[in-house]
Amino acid sequence: MRIVLVGPPGAGKGTQAAFLAKNLSIPHISTGDLFRANISQGTELGKQAKAYMDAGNLVPDEVTIGMAKDRMEQPDAVNGFLLDGFPRNVAQAEALDAMLVGEGMKLDAVLDLEVEEDEVVKRIAGRRICRNDSAHVFHVTYAPPKSEGVCDVCGGELYQRDDDSEGTVRKRLEVYHTQTEPIIDYYRAQGLVVTISALGKVDEVTGRAMEALRGEKAA
């Protein structure tokens, strides 16, 4: 299957993408991984992206599209892929369509993870990270530490990252609504969008997604 995964920040896209890709035996292709791989390997696209990023500028669509195209042409993606973070806007969605048509392929589904904005803010703004080891992550509501402000693992101080503040989260949501959400309507016009609730335990959401995607495949 060839799938695009969409949803607001905090919807759990990265977590769900990993589980879904494993269940469907297709590669999980995320823009974050693409950028890191191209930059670390010193590819031409990676050098271009790094130059923009180092200057504090957004990486142009054509660079992101080029990275995605290169990755989707790898042998492990011949029978399908799950795209996470790409396309990020309608221009990228149009480029993806053209890319696939040129190869005689098409998308099978666009999986839309739906979650209320207040829940997104609650999920992200409630995160607390250990200053000693950023791998130790807690949540004031969903996974609180035994002692407030203290890491259960090493006793380090827990803090809220600037990126996780409510103000920053709401700004990220504005960007999502303005730039990325329009691709849902774009794909809905093609009959590709499958919307599921992203609320509940991780395995519950994965089960919901697999059931919806099986329905699309059967159709």
Side-chain angles (χ1 to χ4, degrees), residues 11-190:
K13 293 189 297 299
T15 300
Q16 289 305 320
F19 281 105
L20 291 171
K22 183 178 180 180
N23 285 333
L24 294 166
S25 299
I26 54 178
H28 166 208
I29 301 175
S30 80
T31 48
D33 290 343
L34 287 177
F35 276 78
R36 283 187 287 273
N38 277 271
I39 291 172
S40 67
Q41 293 166 17
T43 67
E44 184 57 38
L45 288 169
K47 291 175 183 175
Q48 291 177 38
K50 188 174 187 301
Y52 283 105
M53 294 164 70
D54 287 348
N57 297 320
L58 292 175
V59 177
D61 284 348
E62 57 266 26
V63 176
T64 305
I65 292 165
M67 289 183 183
K69 183 176 186 296
D70 285 350
R71 180 63 184 88
M72 286 186 286
E73 289 175 346
Q74 296 301 309
D76 66 337
V78 168
N79 295 319
F81 47 74
L82 190 152
L83 296 174
D84 168 20
F86 176 83
R88 193 174 293 275
N89 55 46
V90 173
Q92 291 183 5
E94 292 172 342
L96 175 60
D97 279 353
M99 210 185 299
L100 293 174
V101 168
E103 297 295 327
M105 299 183 292
K106 64 181 181 63
L107 288 176
D108 293 294
V110 175
L111 183 62
D112 172 29
L113 298 182
E114 189 174 64
V115 58
E116 294 292 330
E117 190 164 305
D118 286 346
E119 174 64 19
V120 167
V121 174
K122 184 178 180 181
R123 287 182 180 187
I124 299 178
R127 284 197 297 229
R128 297 296 183 269
I129 316 295
C130 177
R131 288 195 185 277
N132 293 342
D133 188 336
S134 61
H136 303 160
V137 182
F138 298 83
H139 193 283
V140 296
T141 303
Y142 303 122
K146 294 174 183 176
S147 299
E148 185 177 350
V150 180
C151 176
D152 290 354
V153 182
C154 67
E157 178 192 0
L158 299 180
Y159 74 104
Q160 182 188 54
R161 297 184 307 181
D162 291 341
D163 285 351
D164 291 343
S165 69
E166 180 173 345
T168 301
V169 174
R170 292 200 182 277
K171 286 179 182 176
R172 289 170 62 193
L173 283 166
E174 286 178 17
V175 171
Y176 171 76
H177 292 317
T178 302
Q179 295 184 11
T180 305
E181 203 168 44
I183 73 171
I184 298 175
D185 287 335
Y186 172 82
Y187 284 124
R188 186 173 283 122
Q190 300 179 36

